[in-house]
Structures are given as structure tokens and as C-alpha cells.
Amino acid sequence: VHDVLIVGAGPAGAVAAIGLAQNGHRVVVVERDRFPRTKPCGELLTPRAVAAVRALGIDVDALGHRIDQVRLTFNDTDSRSRRRSTSATWPGGTHAVVVPRDRLDAELIRCATQLGAELRDRHTAVDPIVNRGFVRGARVLDPNGATVELKAAYTLVADGANSRFGRALGTFREPTWPHALAYRTRYGSALHTAAEAELVLGLRDHAGVPVTGYAWMYPRGDGTVNVGVMVLSTSPSFQVINPVRLLDAVVAEHADAWRLDAQPADPPAGGRMPMGASVGPLGGPTYLVAGDAAGMANPLSGTGIEYALDTGRIAALVLDEALTTGSAAALQRYPRLVDTTHGTYFKVGRLACRLFGNPQVNMRAARLAAARRPAAEALLRLAANQLRPGWGAAEALYRAGRAVAAVAPSA
Ligand SMILES: Cc1cc2nc3c(=O)[nH]c(=O)nc-3n(C[C@H](O)[C@H](O)[C@H](O)COP(=O)(O)OP(=O)(O)OC[C@H]3O[C@@H](n4cnc5c(N)ncnc54)[C@H](O)[C@@H]3O)c2cc1C
């Protein structure tokens, strides 16, 4: 019997395994894929994610390609000067890093196994073992197709956006809250070592209807650029948007500027992303849910690695307390701790998703952000969750959103 069974070896599961193993607990991580595995992702570690990975003692700059600034571009079909572009730096001299997901996730799980956690890759958790109403591990399909029982005092569900294991335990996504579709691909490019990434705002679907979301070009420093799109469910034509077609249109429009090869290095891949803490409950008496399995991506940007790392870290703290004190009561603190850390920001983000679902608001904000550097930097601070003390534009907007959120309990 293990102390903790972790389902999923993405950032959420790996960081929890690190936290638990370094406190001497017996941890087993089951992972469906063979490691190292890749995962459809923009692969951008925001400055907050960079700090979180660095706090684990990992030299994150050595793992990937450093991004010092971001160019915001807006294709203004209503104006004669069609394309506007402004460069913005990350707040406070911080930087982002683009890290291939196979490399990042392998490094995180390597830290966990070095500390004593056991990784069983090519093992799929099929359903929970429930004993007198308490989850006590999982039945797991091994690489030979045999079912093995992995028993544990506690279970952490970190199986990503689709979270079949979480659903088996009763988690569900709040259907009226915003979610997103995100797809990415990779192209060879002579500009792969650029220190500037690009975000394209003001996208339109094939019928010319504004899309709430953005496209990205993230240079990877390895000969390729990661290109992708994120579309929010609050987009007016969300039900009929084909994200792969949108991605193709973005590539066609920006291929020359980014000197992209004629053919992609990878086919487009992606999927549906729950966001803004839209999945719950976050646990039960003997299990917790973290990362994308709990819908923890940032609703303002779609980035989820930092929140997967954060919820995995908090889950490990709570599970450590339960194991050390011998009382499962510690697990009850987890939803409150997550809410205290991210609840208000996510709620403001969910409100903003609805606001930007209005095409006029969306287009005006995009035009403004791409026209003036202070506006671009304000948007970056807001979307990257790097607000600073004082009354800058981003901070004032956030406070206004927070005031609205306070009187909108179900937002
Ligand atoms: C196209 C796209 C682009 C994105 N770009 C960015 C970005 O640039 N920056 C950013 O911060 N975030 C980005 N995200 C979000 C980010 O990828 C996720 O938020 C992050 O991977 C969440 O980590 P996680 O550990 O919760 O889940 P995952 O990374 O999805 O890990 C879950 C793991 O669980 C395993 N698993 C699933 N089911 C089982 C099972 N039954 N048994 C065993 N194992 C199982 C899976 O194989 C997987 O390895 C993007 C997402 C998409 C779709």
C-alpha cells in the first residue's frame, strides 16, 4: 500500500510527487503514455511558471528558449493602416521560456523519481478502488493489458483536461462557464532564435466574424516555431469555428513575416480546455484533483502549466499534512487554499471572457493594445497574472473587475 497514488505525470502530478517524495512519503505515479511523452501545448512558460519551475531547483533557462518580449499584433480590417504592432516587455524584468513539453515534463518527473517517487508509465488508471465509500487507489491497466490494483491511502487526480478518472469520481465542468479550444503546430523557421514572441489579436473566423481569442508564434530555439490558436467559448460563432482552419489561416497570413517552412514539422493537435477553476469538486475525503483535471488554466490567457504546478504543490502540502498527522481532515483545506490563491483572479478572468465575447469590446481592446506600448504592457500584466501594486491601467481594470465579481456570486 502506497501513501499516495498520483494519476497522470504532467506538471500537476509531477510537482505533487516531488513535494511528497521529498518529505519521505511513498508515492507512485501512473502515466498512460510512455515517457518522455509530448503534449499538445504552446510550450510557453510564463514568468510565473518560470519562477515555479526554478523554485524546484531546475535550471529552466537551460531547458528551453528565452523570450524577453512579446509583440502584440492586430489586423485592423476597419482601418487603412491594416496591421498594428507593438512590443511589450514582461513586468519587472522577468522573462518567459519556451520549453518543449517532452523535455519539461521528463525533467519534472525525473526530479520526482530521483527523490524516491515511483513512475509507472504506460499504465492507465481505469477506475477507482472504493472501500466503504473511501477512494483507496485505482485499478490500473499495465502495458500487457493486465489489470493491477494499486492501493494507496490517498489519491491525486492529475489526468489532464479530459480527466476520465476524475469523471469516474464525479467531477464535472460547470457548463455555463467559459472554456476554450486550443490547437498548435510547429514550423521550421529561420527566426527560431528570436527573443520576441508574437500574439495576434482580433482574429476573425472564415465568415469574418470576430473570434474571442488569439494566435501565437513562440520561437523554440531548435529550428522551429510553435504556432497556435486559442478560441474562447464566448466567441459569437464558437459552435461553428473550426480551430484547425483558423490555424491554417493564421499560418498563411504570418508565414512570410516568420519565414515559416512550406510544410509543418508536426500536424495540428490540441483540444478542449477547461479553465477558470470550472471543474469540481476539487476532492473528497481521500482524494484531490489538480491541474487541468480541475479546470485550472488561466481564463485570460489559456496558460495552464503554472496553475498545474501550483495546485500540484498545494495538493502535496495538504496530503503531507494528512499523512504526517494521520488525519484526512487536512484534505478539506485544499479547495479553500486553491480558492484563496487563485479564486478572485479566475473569477475576474471568467467575467472578462464574457465581456470580450462582445465583438466590439474585443476589437476595440485589441486595437488599443496593439497601438500603444503602455496598453500592450497592461494587457500582458493582466493576462500573465503579474499585476503590481499601484494604479496602472491593468491594475485599475482588475480592481473594477473584482468589484463586479464581488456582487456576481455565480460569475
Ligand atoms: C494547444 C494547447 C496549447 C497550450 N499552450 C500552453 C502554453 O503555451 N502555456 C501554458 O502554460 N499552458 C498551455 N496549455 C495548457 C497546458 O498544456 C495545460 O494546462 C497543462 O498541461 C496542464 O498540466 P496537467 O499536469 O494538469 O495535465 P497534463 O499535462 O495534460 O498531464 C496529464 C497526464 O495524465 C495522463 N493521463 C490521462 N489519463 C490517464 C489515466 N487514466 N491514467 C494514467 N495517466 C493518465 C496523460 O497522458 C498526461 O500525461 C495549452 C493547452 C493546449 C491544448
Side-chain angles (χ1 to χ4, degrees):
V1 177
H2 296 87
D3 291 328
V4 182
L5 164 70
I6 298 177
V7 179
V15 81
I18 291 171
L20 288 161
Q22 70 192 1
N23 283 329
H25 302 300
R26 288 162 303 170
V27 183
V28 60
V29 184
V30 292
E31 165 56 48
R32 187 182 53 196
D33 289 346
R34 179 199 292 271
F35 250 65
R37 63 99 180 86
T38 193
K39 139 105 185 57
C41 189
E43 306 179 314
L44 183 85
L45 297 187
T46 61
R48 284 173 60 103
V50 167
V53 176
R54 205 177 271 147
L56 298 168
I58 295 173
D59 182 359
V60 59
D61 290 303
L63 281 183
H65 175 67
R66 179 178 169 132
I67 302 290
D68 288 313
Q69 57 181 39
V70 177
R71 186 162 73 244
L72 292 186
T73 298
F74 174 60
N75 286 334
D76 197 343
T77 47
D78 300 335
S79 152
R80 256 179 264 136
S81 57
R82 254 176 62 78
R83 189 174 290 180
R84 295 158 188 254
S85 232
T86 304
S87 292
T89 48
W90 303 97
T94 55
H95 66 272
V97 182
V98 178
V99 186
R101 279 300 296 268
D102 51 351
R103 203 181 293 163
L104 174 71
D105 293 20
E107 183 60 20
L108 290 169
I109 207 70
R110 191 190 61 79
C111 286
T113 53
Q114 232 171 26
L115 289 162
E118 180 191 349
L119 170 69
R120 294 200 192 179
D121 62 353
R122 295 192 299 144
H123 282 67
T124 304
V126 183
D127 52 27
I129 299 171
V130 182
N131 190 345
R132 294 185 192 158
F134 295 105
V135 176
R136 296 294 183 199
R139 269 175 285 277
V140 173
L141 217 53
D142 78 6
N144 304 316
T147 304
V148 287
E149 288 203 339
L150 285 181
K151 292 190 179 150
Y154 299 104
T155 301
L156 177 67
V157 183
D159 57 347
N162 293 330
S163 192
R164 293 228 174 101
F165 196 81
R167 295 295 176 274
L169 288 170
T171 63
F172 68 98
R173 188 179 65 77
E174 178 55 61
T176 59
W177 287 7
H179 61 280
L181 279 173
Y183 275 76
R184 49 58 83 192
T185 179
R186 235 167 19 102
Y187 277 85
S189 164
L191 298 184
H192 67 103
T193 53
E196 185 176 68
E198 182 170 11
L199 300 179
V200 182
L201 308 173
L203 301 177
R204 290 178 186 268
D205 69 10
H206 60 281
V209 178
V211 169
T212 317
Y214 66 93
W216 67 79
M217 288 92 192
Y218 296 151
R220 295 171 100 236
D222 67 342
T224 64
V225 172
N226 186 314
V227 188
V229 292
M230 186 195 80
V231 180
L232 277 169
S233 61
T234 54
S235 292
S237 56
F238 184 69
Q239 297 304 337
V240 295
I241 290 175
N242 178 338
V244 174
R245 200 164 152 189
L246 189 64
L247 181 56
D248 286 345
V250 166
V251 167
E253 179 143 5
H254 295 270
D256 286 349
W258 275 93
R259 297 204 240 151
L260 304 181
D261 286 352
Q263 297 300 324
D266 289 335
R272 207 170 279 272
M273 287 176 64
M275 47 190 10
S278 57
V279 180
L282 289 185
T286 55
Y287 71 92
L288 299 175
V289 189
D292 273 9
M296 284 293 162
N298 181 342
L300 282 166
S301 63
T303 56
I305 296 170
E306 69 208 72
Y307 304 95
L309 292 170
D310 219 35
T311 47
R313 179 186 60 79
I314 297 172
L317 284 177
V318 166
L319 290 166
D320 172 55
E321 188 182 325
L323 288 161
T324 316
T325 60
S327 164
L331 272 67
Q332 292 170 16
R333 294 199 307 121
Y334 177 69
R336 208 173 53 247
L337 284 173
V338 171
D339 188 57
T340 310
T341 319
H342 300 299
T344 306
Y345 178 80
F346 278 177
K347 195 169 178 188
V348 172
R350 295 195 302 267
L351 280 170
C353 290
R354 291 184 207 282
L355 186 67
F356 289 119
N358 177 320
Q360 283 184 351
V361 175
N362 180 15
M363 289 297 170
R364 277 205 187 136
R367 186 178 293 125
L368 180 68
R372 295 186 49 234
R373 191 181 178 105
E377 290 187 341
L379 183 68
L380 204 57
R381 286 205 301 284
L382 202 55
N385 196 355
Q386 284 187 288
L387 295 163
R388 54 190 188 200
W391 280 95
E395 292 70 23
L397 266 174
Y398 179 73
R399 286 190 190 135
R402 202 173 53 186
V404 176
V407 292
S410 63

